[in-house]
Amino acid sequence: MKDLYKALLAIQQEVHHNHSLLNFSNDSIQKAITSVASGKQENVSKSQELRAINEYIFAWNTNSFDKYNQKDFSRIFEKYINN
């Protein structure tokens, strides 16, 4: 039981850490959007600019979500349960 508790605690800590990193990722993309939005783009239509930014943001968020949302914790269970 003690090993299971340690494994679950380690999983909770890793999930919390990954959640923080995902928030950092989202915060940085929001800052980038604000920077781009405040600049004046010449010779670029607003619809093209919006489309490009939207596609970039979607790819960024998808990549960050996949990177920081762990689904397999077998490594942690093996570390604590099989010792």
Side-chain angles (χ1 to χ4, degrees):
M1 189 59 104
K2 185 175 164 183
D3 291 338
L4 180 60
Y5 175 77
K6 288 180 185 178
L8 292 174
L9 183 62
I11 289 171
Q12 184 275 330
Q13 290 171 342
E14 189 155 339
V15 166
H16 178 74
H17 178 74
N18 287 342
H19 182 72
S20 296
L21 293 175
L22 183 58
N23 285 337
F24 295 157
S25 173
N26 288 331
D27 183 50
S28 66
I29 193 69
Q30 290 302 321
K31 289 178 182 176
I33 291 167
T34 302
S35 297
V36 169
S38 66
K40 294 182 180 178
Q41 300 291 331
E42 295 182 20
N43 301 327
V44 177
S45 76
K46 292 296 179 185
S47 63
Q48 289 174 338
E49 185 177 4
L50 178 61
R51 182 177 292 125
I53 291 171
N54 186 45
E55 288 173 3
Y56 179 80
I57 292 168
F58 182 78
W60 177 280
N61 284 333
T62 302
N63 185 31
S64 295
F65 182 83
D66 291 341
K67 184 175 181 181
Y68 297 123
N69 281 301
Q70 184 175 352
K71 294 178 181 136
D72 181 12
F73 296 98
S74 58
R75 174 183 54 81
I76 293 173
F77 277 111
E78 288 175 8
K79 178 179 178 181
Y80 290 102
I81 303 298
N82 292 334
N83 283 333

